[in-house]
Amino acid sequence: MRLRRRRRRLRSRRACWTCSSWDPGGAVGGDLGRHDLGRRQGVRLVVWGRRRACLSRALGTTNRRKLRFQTDLVAQVPQNCGLAMVTEEAKSKKQISDECIINRLPGDLIERIFLRLPVSTLLSCIGVCKHWHDFIRGPQFVTSHLQDAPRYAFLFFPQGLVSGEPYPSDAILIDEAWSPSTYAVPVIGPDDLLFGTCNGLLGLYTKTSTIKIANFTTGEYMHLKKPAKNMRGDHFSFYSFGFHPVTKEYKITHFLGDCIEGRPSNKHKFSFIQVYTLGDKKWKDIPTPEPLSLNSVRNSGVVNVDGTMYWLTEDKTASWQHTLVSFDLREENFAMIQLPVEREDDDYFGPRMFWIRDIGGKLCIVTAQTGRYDARILVGELQIWTLDNPVEQRWSQKHNIKNPPNYIPGPHFVHMDRILAQSFFSVDSFELISENTEVSCSKVATLFDFSPRKLYNMQSYICVKSLVCLDVYKKGGIVCRPKQEVGWKLKKWEVWENELHEAENMRREIQKLDHKFSEVTEKIIKLYQVLVDSTHAISERVRMELDHVLQHKPENRNQPRFLRRLNWVERKRDKDELTLRSNKINDRMQAIHQAQKNISSIVRSYMPDQGISIPGVSSTADKNQ
């Protein structure tokens, strides 16, 4: 009896599966659950794609022929049926990723697309899939993207005391449209000092801690041990950070003064330089051909051009009493280069100053005479000489600038054919369009106000935003962690951080008050709108008062704020804006109150004559108000 029932159920299923009017979206196909396709004897029978062995155990060996017939029918079901097929659900993640339209494009076309994207967008694309991650992080793509990356002017202001209050180190980026940046560079700590930039990497150090190499775009960084501890007279010009295009090596150099009473002192002379290659185990000392002047390094600066480091040293027998020293980062050897032929100086002016700068990837010597009574003022003409051929020691005069600015920031002070300079209260740019250029106030463009920072304390670099990764260099022998507490956690920056929190609290309070004023304004307009829409004689007077109310309605300033620290220029501007908004709150409140009082007075004077009744407004209520 039981076997007969099982055969009868099987025949009913076969009739359903082999129906000539079968339609996956119709009643039969959509209601397959009605035909007892659930659990039978503890085995789940699924119509589409279950194994033969499962149905064989459920139905017995006598029905295997029938099972083959049924599964053959299932295999003949059209591919575009409404029910999800098991083969569709069993696709692997790799197959799905291979179906991405972009990944089907040729590799060179994908590279062209990615090369046009900024670094911030590429950092988001890294997390899309492993293929994109490996492609964008590959050294070949990083190098290609670096070559076409836009150049920025990186203006650095070191930390220091201003009117007895500490101001942290900060930086402003100037893009190709000459727009200053808004946010602070996150990898720069409040006590960090900058000594170089190279391929999007910053070389930073603190007076008592370590050297820090950081990618200011990706946020990656690592700390290195200093070559000497507690050094007196340390200066950012005594460090240099360069890259050799052939060896692809990044190197840090440090000028260490000769020992005085057994201790190194950076004062007058040095007889060797200390060199560290990123990824190596330790620093190494390389002796100089002769003792060289540290004062010249401090005053004139150091630049890296095409894998060679340059600086000036004093030489009483040479032209202009200075000689150019070069240090090849690949061979690690020195060479002396004579300066161009000396020209006669004006006896009325003071001594001549020299700076070594990088202009457009070329080594340049910048020189000018100073004031007779004030060495900080440049007078006469500012001459810019370019080293055309280091081997032949051939120079050419590139520019002759009249009325130059008093301060020449370094190591880069020309950005997109404009000179960057500091005036008394602002950072400006001047046109540099010909060999004989005269700087005039009519050609000056003010970039931003740098107050209350110190005058003549700005460093200027040309940098790029890059994807250079530091992981490969973190296995070096001198990579370490700072032992002392550094950054914003130090006690001396508590006041600075408290001011930041107070500004945010002030912003939230102002936003709450603006929201309340908006609600009050809308209620007043809604209350008296019936008079404005009517033809009463007082409609025009009420409309004028409501327009006055609308003029004092707060703007919608509840814009989302990013949780990033503003640089001090934008922070100062933001603070001034908050103060202005705070001062307007009282004026706005008085104006709205006066407008409401005037409207109530107009309505009260008109109501007794016309018998008008407005909800919420009466002479008694107005008197109480």
Side-chain angles (χ1 to χ4, degrees):
M1 183 65 67
R2 185 177 302 173
L3 184 59
R4 291 179 181 177
R5 292 177 181 175
R6 185 180 300 173
R7 290 176 179 175
R8 195 178 296 116
R9 284 195 298 268
L10 182 60
R11 283 195 295 268
S12 65
R13 291 173 189 158
R14 188 191 307 172
C16 175
W17 292 342
T18 59
C19 180
S20 59
S21 61
W22 184 83
D23 180 14
V28 178
D31 297 333
L32 287 177
R34 296 182 303 173
H35 298 283
D36 195 21
L37 298 181
R39 300 177 182 273
R40 290 296 176 182
Q41 298 180 0
V43 180
R44 186 179 181 181
L45 303 181
V46 180
V47 176
W48 312 121
R50 287 300 183 186
R51 298 176 182 176
R52 297 180 181 180
C54 297
L55 293 176
S56 299
R57 288 194 299 268
L59 302 178
T61 56
T62 56
N63 296 325
R64 287 181 180 175
R65 292 183 179 179
K66 299 177 182 179
L67 176 62
R68 293 193 189 98
F69 175 72
Q70 294 164 0
T71 52
D72 290 340
L73 288 176
V74 172
Q76 296 175 6
V77 174
Q79 300 255 335
N80 57 353
C81 64
L83 295 177
M85 305 298 290
V86 175
T87 56
E88 286 290 331
E89 297 177 354
K91 281 188 175 181
S92 64
K93 294 182 179 180
K94 182 177 179 180
Q95 291 173 335
I96 295 176
S97 64
D98 289 341
E99 293 179 358
C100 181
I101 297 178
I102 297 182
N103 290 339
R104 293 179 180 179
L105 299 176
D108 57 343
L109 183 57
I110 296 177
E111 184 178 6
R112 290 183 183 181
I113 295 174
F114 283 154
L115 286 176
R116 293 177 178 269
L117 299 178
V119 176
S120 57
T121 304
L122 291 173
L123 292 176
S124 302
C125 295
I126 286 176
V128 173
C129 62
K130 187 177 183 300
H131 176 68
W132 285 18
H133 177 276
D134 296 341
F135 184 83
I136 295 174
R137 280 298 190 181
Q140 182 178 357
F141 178 79
V142 171
T143 303
S144 300
H145 190 272
L146 189 62
Q147 294 175 354
D148 300 329
R151 265 50 181 172
Y152 294 83
F154 193 96
L155 308 182
F156 179 77
F157 295 81
Q159 61 92 16
L161 293 177
V162 178
S163 300
E165 297 182 2
Y167 263 70
S169 298
D170 211 339
I172 306 293
L173 271 73
I174 307 295
D175 59 15
E176 294 181 337
W178 292 95
S179 299
S181 59
T182 301
Y183 296 101
V185 180
V187 296
I188 297 180
D191 294 298
D192 289 345
L193 301 175
L194 181 65
F195 64 83
T197 64
C198 185
N199 293 344
L201 301 180
L202 303 182
L204 304 160
Y205 77 100
T206 56
K207 294 181 179 179
T208 59
S209 184
T210 60
I211 294 175
K212 180 167 65 175
I213 304 298
N215 187 322
F216 72 95
T217 307
T218 63
E220 298 177 85
Y221 64 91
M222 65 179 183
H223 290 271
L224 307 173
K225 294 180 181 179
K226 273 188 172 184
K229 298 180 180 179
N230 301 325
M231 197 177 331
R232 295 180 180 180
D234 211 7
H235 193 260
F236 71 89
S237 294
F238 299 158
Y239 295 89
S240 182
F241 185 35
F243 173 80
H244 199 282
V246 177
T247 62
K248 309 297 183 182
E249 292 178 335
Y250 293 90
K251 293 192 177 185
I252 304 171
T253 58
H254 177 244
F255 298 93
L256 182 63
D258 295 336
C259 294
I260 298 178
E261 297 180 356
R263 297 186 62 181
S265 177
N266 282 346
K267 286 189 176 181
H268 304 291
K269 298 287 184 178
F270 66 96
S271 300
F272 61 91
I273 63 173
Q274 298 172 302
V275 181
Y276 175 73
T277 304
L278 292 190
D280 282 0
K281 295 182 179 180
K282 61 180 181 179
W283 292 83
K284 54 184 176 182
D285 298 338
I286 300 178
T288 60
E290 60 185 46
L292 302 176
S293 172
L294 266 177
N295 291 330
S296 296
V297 175
R298 179 194 289 269
N299 296 329
S300 61
V302 182
V303 297
N304 283 275
V305 178
D306 293 334
T308 304
M309 184 173 66
Y310 298 92
W311 69 91
L312 291 175
T313 187
E314 295 177 356
D315 188 354
K316 300 298 182 180
T317 62
S319 175
W320 275 330
Q321 299 183 357
H322 285 80
T323 299
L324 182 67
V325 184
S326 66
F327 177 74
D328 191 295
L329 296 180
R330 179 183 182 183
E331 304 296 335
E332 296 184 346
N333 54 16
F334 298 88
M336 299 293 182
I337 301 175
Q338 296 297 321
L339 295 184
V341 179
E342 182 179 1
R343 295 188 177 183
E344 294 184 1
D345 292 340
D346 195 330
D347 296 336
Y348 182 77
F349 299 142
R352 179 171 292 275
M353 295 289 294
F354 296 88
W355 301 271
I356 183 168
R357 297 292 183 257
D358 181 354
I359 301 178
K362 295 286 187 177
L363 174 71
C364 295
I365 296 295
V366 183
T367 179
Q369 284 188 264
T370 58
R372 187 172 186 178
Y373 302 102
D374 190 352
R376 297 176 299 177
I377 299 177
L378 300 184
V379 294
E381 296 179 347
L382 184 72
Q383 303 176 20
I384 300 178
W385 294 79
T386 302
L387 180 61
D388 296 327
N389 192 320
V391 178
E392 299 177 1
Q393 301 187 12
R394 187 174 67 250
W395 296 83
S396 64
Q397 187 173 0
K398 188 174 183 180
H399 296 285
N400 193 31
I401 303 174
K402 299 179 181 180
N403 301 324
N406 290 327
Y407 178 68
I408 307 298
H412 306 84
F413 78 106
V414 176
H415 176 52
M416 296 177 59
D417 296 330
R418 295 185 71 91
I419 299 175
L420 296 170
Q422 274 184 295
S423 62
F424 290 101
F425 301 104
S426 62
V427 175
D428 306 321
S429 65
F430 304 87
E431 290 185 2
L432 186 64
I433 56 178
S434 62
E435 293 184 0
N436 295 316
T437 302
E438 182 176 356
V439 174
S440 61
C441 296
S442 60
K443 300 179 180 179
V444 176
T446 300
L447 300 178
F448 58 88
D449 181 6
F450 69 87
S451 62
R453 298 280 182 171
K454 292 181 179 180
L455 186 62
Y456 307 152
N457 200 26
M458 180 183 75
Q459 300 169 229
S460 175
Y461 298 85
I462 302 299
C463 68
V464 296
K465 295 182 178 180
S466 72
L467 294 164
V468 176
C469 186
L470 296 175
D471 291 341
V472 67
Y473 306 112
K474 292 183 178 180
K475 298 180 181 180
I478 66 172
V479 177
C480 63
R481 292 183 178 181
K483 297 180 180 179
Q484 300 179 359
E485 189 180 40
V486 295
W488 298 102
K489 297 180 181 179
L490 293 176
K491 188 175 181 180
K492 68 177 181 178
W493 301 116
E494 286 183 358
V495 177
W496 190 269
E497 290 291 274
N498 291 336
E499 291 180 358
L500 181 64
H501 295 313
E502 290 176 1
E504 291 300 322
N505 294 333
M506 183 179 179
R507 182 185 306 280
R508 285 193 290 267
E509 293 297 327
I510 291 176
Q511 290 177 350
K512 290 180 181 179
L513 291 175
D514 286 346
H515 182 69
K516 290 182 180 179
F517 279 125
S518 298
E519 292 181 349
V520 171
T521 303
E522 293 176 358
K523 288 181 180 179
I524 294 175
I525 295 174
K526 185 177 180 181
L527 179 62
Y528 298 108
Q529 190 65 34
V530 62
L531 293 179
V532 176
D533 297 337
S534 64
T535 58
H536 295 298
I538 63 172
S539 298
E540 186 63 26
R541 297 172 59 189
V542 173
R543 183 182 294 108
M544 292 176 59
E545 295 295 336
L546 290 181
D547 291 342
H548 187 67
V549 171
L550 287 175
Q551 291 178 1
H552 292 85
K553 183 179 180 181
E555 300 178 1
N556 185 18
R557 301 200 182 199
N558 297 330
Q559 301 295 334
R561 289 181 58 84
F562 298 99
L563 299 178
R564 291 179 58 186
R565 187 184 298 272
L566 300 174
N567 57 46
W568 100 94
V569 175
E570 187 67 20
R571 180 175 175 177
K572 182 177 61 174
R573 188 201 62 79
D574 187 64
K575 185 178 180 179
D576 294 340
E577 181 184 357
L578 288 178
T579 304
L580 182 62
R581 290 176 61 184
S582 178
N583 295 334
K584 286 183 177 180
I585 287 178
N586 189 35
D587 298 338
R588 185 182 296 118
M589 180 175 60
Q590 293 179 0
I592 293 177
H593 179 71
Q594 183 64 37
Q596 185 180 10
K597 186 177 180 180
N598 294 340
I599 296 175
S600 300
S601 178
I602 294 172
V603 173
R604 284 199 306 267
S605 63
Y606 189 75
M607 285 174 58
D609 300 333
Q610 303 295 330
I612 299 175
S613 176
I614 299 178
V617 178
S618 63
S619 59
T620 305
D622 291 333
K623 290 179 182 179
N624 294 335
Q625 185 178 8

